[in-house]
Amino acid sequence: MTTAPGTTTTSAPKSALDRFFSVTARGSTFGAEIRGGLVTFVTMAYIVILNPIILSGSADVEGNTLPFPAVGAATALAAGVMTIAFGLVTRLPFGFAAGLGINAFLAFSVVGQVTWPEAMALVVINGLVIVLLAATGLRKLIFDAVPLQLKLAITVGIGLFIAFIGFVNSGFVTATGEASPPVGLGVGGSVATVPTLLFVVTLVLTGILVALRVKGGLLIGLAVGTVLAVIAEAIWHLGAAADGNAGGWSLTVPALTGSPFSLPDLSLVGAVDFGFDLGRVSVVALVMIVFTLVFSNFFDAMGTMTGLAKEAELADEKGDFPRIKSALIVEGLGAVVGGATSSSSNTVFIESGAGIGEGARTGLANVVTGGMFLLAMFLTPLTSIVPTEIAAAALVIVGAMMMAQIAHIDLGDFRVLLPVFLTVTVMPLTYSIANGIGAGFVSWVVVQAFSGRARRISPLLWIVAAGFVVFFARGPIQALLGA
């Protein structure tokens, strides 16, 4: 059982390493930290493949693209360095890697206006702004201004978001291509592919192990699911869905061919350009891009860390957790490192909840996760053997665990219910943590203000809500300003 922040158990630390990470003090063990770190890595490892797919698939304004192998190596390097750094500085078990929302924003929106080196320079600027806000304490003040009900709602929303990601990644939930319904079950309303079937098997098996409180249940489930996937691929040669095979694996094929080793291509490290061509892109457009990056980074990370701290039972009744200021500063540095390595902004990953569900409670788990990412630079073929469909099962399990936090919210008051509902539902439905938080903040301020509780709203919350209004309307605003 874990303890509240700042408290200790009756057991004395067993070593200097134990004291440094507070392993015993948080009711954890070295075995649990190692298992948790490994599980977090397994559930995050897909980013080493997915991030290059997103970033290298789009040409910038000059028609240049990023090389896939170089992006993969940079992604693993940045994730490893930031995950270890975060664990050592904050002693928290939150893994870092390239954030999916921001990398998609860069690939599908930003590089249509600037070059890739310029886009990464904007990511660095975004990170410096985040660090400044954290170092001055403003980020913490904004964090403290958020009502507890919204903090808990963020946790629940992230849980649903994690589960939805798992369902989509597994092929259990798919786009229909129709106006209504926009999504459906599997293929034609049924589980019709082997990869999705193995997701279901892994989900059920892992759920049983977790329900029985089997130590290493998540890791065992992932390992068994991967073995079954390798066997299935060897028998039926399913291949990749991207090759036009509807019944194939969505992202990675669970088969190792050739050497498991490869030398990392780090040519993108330092490939940033702050000499923006103002004849091609306006200052207003650059400011709006940075504004969007900051808001996405700022609130995605805040919401994710709040949810993970609650899941790890490291947050107090206000939602605060140990070394929170350091955590916010290091998270900002993740954007700087991500931009400097051309891997996109690195931030806290919600998949860390899988490791927390396995028992991780300290930064020691991060050292394990980060070490695996650094190793992954040389073992990309081996890293990719775990198919997305199998890793997705762990995400659904963790999402269910995080859903339990809704029991701590009193939903009897509609002034609380509506903002909580919007926070929880908008996240998965728009595929964005920041959107869910913004919907919750704006609705909280509006409903509370017009129902006679304006004086109870923190001035900072008013400012943040106004900022989110701008965030949601950034497209029309940018068009109005002629950007």
Side-chain angles (χ1 to χ4, degrees), residues 144-177:
D144 289 339
V146 180
L148 177 60
Q149 296 96 324
L150 287 183
K151 290 178 181 177
L152 293 173
I154 290 169
T155 303
V156 177
I158 290 174
L160 290 181
F161 186 31
I162 288 176
F164 191 49
I165 289 175
F167 285 130
V168 171
N169 287 353
S170 67
F172 192 80
V173 172
T174 57
T176 62

Short mmCIF file of all heavy atoms in Angstrom, two decimals, residues 144-177:
data_model
loop_
_atom_site.label_atom_id
_atom_site.label_comp_id
_atom_site.label_asym_id
_atom_site.label_seq_id
_atom_site.Cartn_x
_atom_site.Cartn_y
_atom_site.Cartn_z
N ASP A 144 -2.79 25.32 -9.12
CA ASP A 144 -3.50 25.40 -7.83
C ASP A 144 -4.89 26.02 -7.99
O ASP A 144 -5.78 25.77 -7.17
CB ASP A 144 -2.69 26.21 -6.82
CG ASP A 144 -1.45 25.49 -6.35
OD1 ASP A 144 -1.41 24.25 -6.48
OD2 ASP A 144 -0.51 26.15 -5.86
N ALA A 145 -5.06 26.85 -9.02
CA ALA A 145 -6.34 27.52 -9.21
C ALA A 145 -7.41 26.59 -9.75
O ALA A 145 -8.60 26.91 -9.72
CB ALA A 145 -6.17 28.71 -10.15
N VAL A 146 -7.01 25.43 -10.21
CA VAL A 146 -7.97 24.48 -10.79
C VAL A 146 -8.72 23.76 -9.66
O VAL A 146 -8.10 23.19 -8.76
CB VAL A 146 -7.23 23.44 -11.66
CG1 VAL A 146 -8.22 22.44 -12.25
CG2 VAL A 146 -6.45 24.13 -12.77
N PRO A 147 -10.05 23.79 -9.67
CA PRO A 147 -10.83 23.10 -8.62
C PRO A 147 -10.53 21.60 -8.59
O PRO A 147 -10.22 20.99 -9.62
CB PRO A 147 -12.28 23.35 -9.05
CG PRO A 147 -12.22 24.56 -9.92
CD PRO A 147 -10.90 24.48 -10.64
N LEU A 148 -10.62 21.03 -7.39
CA LEU A 148 -10.32 19.61 -7.23
C LEU A 148 -11.21 18.75 -8.12
O LEU A 148 -10.76 17.74 -8.67
CB LEU A 148 -10.51 19.20 -5.76
CG LEU A 148 -10.30 17.72 -5.43
CD1 LEU A 148 -8.88 17.29 -5.79
CD2 LEU A 148 -10.60 17.44 -3.96
N GLN A 149 -12.49 19.13 -8.26
CA GLN A 149 -13.39 18.32 -9.08
C GLN A 149 -12.89 18.22 -10.52
O GLN A 149 -13.00 17.16 -11.15
CB GLN A 149 -14.81 18.93 -9.07
CG GLN A 149 -15.48 18.93 -7.71
CD GLN A 149 -15.30 20.24 -6.99
OE1 GLN A 149 -14.25 20.87 -7.10
NE2 GLN A 149 -16.32 20.66 -6.26
N LEU A 150 -12.32 19.31 -11.05
CA LEU A 150 -11.80 19.28 -12.41
C LEU A 150 -10.52 18.45 -12.49
O LEU A 150 -10.27 17.77 -13.49
CB LEU A 150 -11.55 20.70 -12.92
CG LEU A 150 -12.78 21.53 -13.27
CD1 LEU A 150 -12.38 22.88 -13.83
CD2 LEU A 150 -13.67 20.80 -14.28
N LYS A 151 -9.70 18.51 -11.43
CA LYS A 151 -8.49 17.70 -11.42
C LYS A 151 -8.85 16.21 -11.47
O LYS A 151 -8.22 15.42 -12.19
CB LYS A 151 -7.65 18.00 -10.18
CG LYS A 151 -7.00 19.38 -10.19
CD LYS A 151 -6.22 19.62 -8.91
CE LYS A 151 -5.59 21.01 -8.91
NZ LYS A 151 -4.87 21.31 -7.66
N LEU A 152 -9.85 15.83 -10.67
CA LEU A 152 -10.28 14.43 -10.68
C LEU A 152 -10.92 14.08 -12.02
O LEU A 152 -10.72 12.98 -12.55
CB LEU A 152 -11.28 14.19 -9.55
CG LEU A 152 -10.72 14.29 -8.13
CD1 LEU A 152 -11.85 14.19 -7.10
CD2 LEU A 152 -9.69 13.21 -7.87
N ALA A 153 -11.67 15.02 -12.59
CA ALA A 153 -12.29 14.78 -13.89
C ALA A 153 -11.23 14.58 -14.96
O ALA A 153 -11.39 13.77 -15.88
CB ALA A 153 -13.20 15.95 -14.26
N ILE A 154 -10.14 15.33 -14.85
CA ILE A 154 -9.03 15.16 -15.79
C ILE A 154 -8.49 13.74 -15.73
O ILE A 154 -8.20 13.12 -16.75
CB ILE A 154 -7.92 16.20 -15.49
CG1 ILE A 154 -8.39 17.60 -15.87
CG2 ILE A 154 -6.63 15.84 -16.25
CD1 ILE A 154 -7.48 18.71 -15.38
N THR A 155 -8.36 13.22 -14.50
CA THR A 155 -7.89 11.85 -14.32
C THR A 155 -8.82 10.86 -15.01
O THR A 155 -8.37 9.97 -15.74
CB THR A 155 -7.80 11.50 -12.82
OG1 THR A 155 -6.95 12.44 -12.16
CG2 THR A 155 -7.25 10.10 -12.62
N VAL A 156 -10.11 11.01 -14.78
CA VAL A 156 -11.09 10.11 -15.38
C VAL A 156 -11.08 10.25 -16.90
O VAL A 156 -11.11 9.25 -17.64
CB VAL A 156 -12.50 10.41 -14.84
CG1 VAL A 156 -13.54 9.52 -15.52
CG2 VAL A 156 -12.54 10.19 -13.32
N GLY A 157 -11.01 11.49 -17.38
CA GLY A 157 -10.99 11.72 -18.82
C GLY A 157 -9.78 11.09 -19.48
O GLY A 157 -9.88 10.50 -20.55
N ILE A 158 -8.63 11.19 -18.81
CA ILE A 158 -7.43 10.58 -19.35
C ILE A 158 -7.59 9.06 -19.38
O ILE A 158 -7.13 8.40 -20.32
CB ILE A 158 -6.19 10.97 -18.51
CG1 ILE A 158 -5.87 12.45 -18.73
CG2 ILE A 158 -4.98 10.12 -18.88
CD1 ILE A 158 -4.77 12.97 -17.84
N GLY A 159 -8.26 8.52 -18.37
CA GLY A 159 -8.52 7.08 -18.36
C GLY A 159 -9.33 6.65 -19.57
O GLY A 159 -9.00 5.67 -20.24
N LEU A 160 -10.38 7.40 -19.87
CA LEU A 160 -11.19 7.09 -21.05
C LEU A 160 -10.40 7.31 -22.33
O LEU A 160 -10.54 6.56 -23.31
CB LEU A 160 -12.45 7.95 -21.05
CG LEU A 160 -13.51 7.63 -19.99
CD1 LEU A 160 -14.70 8.55 -20.14
CD2 LEU A 160 -13.94 6.18 -20.08
N PHE A 161 -9.56 8.35 -22.33
CA PHE A 161 -8.73 8.63 -23.50
C PHE A 161 -7.75 7.48 -23.74
O PHE A 161 -7.58 7.01 -24.87
CB PHE A 161 -7.97 9.94 -23.25
CG PHE A 161 -7.17 10.42 -24.44
CD1 PHE A 161 -7.58 10.16 -25.74
CD2 PHE A 161 -6.02 11.16 -24.26
CE1 PHE A 161 -6.86 10.62 -26.83
CE2 PHE A 161 -5.28 11.63 -25.33
CZ PHE A 161 -5.70 11.36 -26.62
N ILE A 162 -7.12 7.00 -22.66
CA ILE A 162 -6.20 5.87 -22.78
C ILE A 162 -6.93 4.65 -23.35
O ILE A 162 -6.44 3.97 -24.26
CB ILE A 162 -5.60 5.50 -21.40
CG1 ILE A 162 -4.60 6.56 -20.95
CG2 ILE A 162 -4.90 4.14 -21.44
CD1 ILE A 162 -4.05 6.32 -19.57
N ALA A 163 -8.10 4.37 -22.79
CA ALA A 163 -8.87 3.21 -23.24
C ALA A 163 -9.27 3.36 -24.71
O ALA A 163 -9.19 2.40 -25.48
CB ALA A 163 -10.10 3.03 -22.37
N PHE A 164 -9.69 4.56 -25.08
CA PHE A 164 -10.10 4.79 -26.47
C PHE A 164 -8.92 4.60 -27.43
O PHE A 164 -9.07 4.02 -28.51
CB PHE A 164 -10.69 6.19 -26.61
CG PHE A 164 -11.37 6.43 -27.93
CD1 PHE A 164 -12.30 5.53 -28.42
CD2 PHE A 164 -11.11 7.56 -28.68
CE1 PHE A 164 -12.94 5.74 -29.63
CE2 PHE A 164 -11.74 7.79 -29.90
CZ PHE A 164 -12.65 6.87 -30.37
N ILE A 165 -7.74 5.10 -27.02
CA ILE A 165 -6.54 4.89 -27.82
C ILE A 165 -6.30 3.39 -28.00
O ILE A 165 -5.98 2.91 -29.09
CB ILE A 165 -5.32 5.56 -27.17
CG1 ILE A 165 -5.42 7.08 -27.27
CG2 ILE A 165 -4.01 5.09 -27.83
CD1 ILE A 165 -4.32 7.81 -26.53
N GLY A 166 -6.44 2.66 -26.90
CA GLY A 166 -6.26 1.21 -26.96
C GLY A 166 -7.24 0.54 -27.90
O GLY A 166 -6.85 -0.31 -28.71
N PHE A 167 -8.51 0.92 -27.81
CA PHE A 167 -9.52 0.32 -28.68
C PHE A 167 -9.26 0.64 -30.16
O PHE A 167 -9.42 -0.21 -31.04
CB PHE A 167 -10.91 0.83 -28.29
CG PHE A 167 -11.45 0.22 -27.03
CD1 PHE A 167 -11.97 1.01 -26.01
CD2 PHE A 167 -11.46 -1.16 -26.85
CE1 PHE A 167 -12.46 0.45 -24.84
CE2 PHE A 167 -11.95 -1.74 -25.69
CZ PHE A 167 -12.45 -0.92 -24.68
N VAL A 168 -8.86 1.88 -30.44
CA VAL A 168 -8.59 2.27 -31.83
C VAL A 168 -7.32 1.59 -32.35
O VAL A 168 -7.30 1.06 -33.46
CB VAL A 168 -8.46 3.81 -31.94
CG1 VAL A 168 -7.96 4.21 -33.33
CG2 VAL A 168 -9.79 4.48 -31.64
N ASN A 169 -6.26 1.61 -31.53
CA ASN A 169 -5.00 1.01 -31.96
C ASN A 169 -5.14 -0.50 -32.22
O ASN A 169 -4.41 -1.07 -33.04
CB ASN A 169 -3.90 1.23 -30.92
CG ASN A 169 -3.41 2.67 -30.90
OD1 ASN A 169 -3.79 3.47 -31.74
ND2 ASN A 169 -2.58 2.99 -29.94
N SER A 170 -6.06 -1.12 -31.52
CA SER A 170 -6.24 -2.57 -31.66
C SER A 170 -7.13 -2.95 -32.84
O SER A 170 -7.21 -4.12 -33.21
CB SER A 170 -6.85 -3.15 -30.38
OG SER A 170 -8.18 -2.67 -30.21
N GLY A 171 -7.85 -1.97 -33.39
CA GLY A 171 -8.80 -2.27 -34.45
C GLY A 171 -10.15 -2.71 -33.91
O GLY A 171 -11.05 -3.06 -34.68
N PHE A 172 -10.29 -2.68 -32.58
CA PHE A 172 -11.58 -3.05 -31.98
C PHE A 172 -12.63 -1.98 -32.28
O PHE A 172 -13.80 -2.27 -32.47
CB PHE A 172 -11.41 -3.22 -30.46
CG PHE A 172 -12.57 -3.86 -29.77
CD1 PHE A 172 -12.75 -5.23 -29.80
CD2 PHE A 172 -13.51 -3.09 -29.10
CE1 PHE A 172 -13.83 -5.83 -29.16
CE2 PHE A 172 -14.59 -3.67 -28.46
CZ PHE A 172 -14.75 -5.05 -28.49
N VAL A 173 -12.18 -0.71 -32.32
CA VAL A 173 -13.04 0.41 -32.73
C VAL A 173 -12.42 0.99 -33.99
O VAL A 173 -11.23 1.31 -34.03
CB VAL A 173 -13.12 1.48 -31.63
CG1 VAL A 173 -13.86 2.72 -32.16
CG2 VAL A 173 -13.83 0.94 -30.40
N THR A 174 -13.22 1.13 -35.04
CA THR A 174 -12.72 1.64 -36.31
C THR A 174 -13.63 2.72 -36.88
O THR A 174 -14.80 2.81 -36.52
CB THR A 174 -12.62 0.50 -37.35
OG1 THR A 174 -13.92 -0.11 -37.49
CG2 THR A 174 -11.61 -0.55 -36.93
N ALA A 175 -13.07 3.53 -37.75
CA ALA A 175 -13.86 4.55 -38.45
C ALA A 175 -14.69 3.87 -39.52
O ALA A 175 -14.20 3.02 -40.27
CB ALA A 175 -12.95 5.60 -39.06
N THR A 176 -15.96 4.24 -39.60
CA THR A 176 -16.84 3.62 -40.60
C THR A 176 -16.76 4.31 -41.95
O THR A 176 -17.15 3.74 -42.97
CB THR A 176 -18.30 3.66 -40.11
OG1 THR A 176 -18.70 5.05 -39.96
CG2 THR A 176 -18.45 2.95 -38.77
N GLY A 177 -16.30 5.57 -41.94
CA GLY A 177 -16.28 6.33 -43.19
C GLY A 177 -17.62 6.94 -43.51
O GLY A 177 -17.79 7.56 -44.56
#
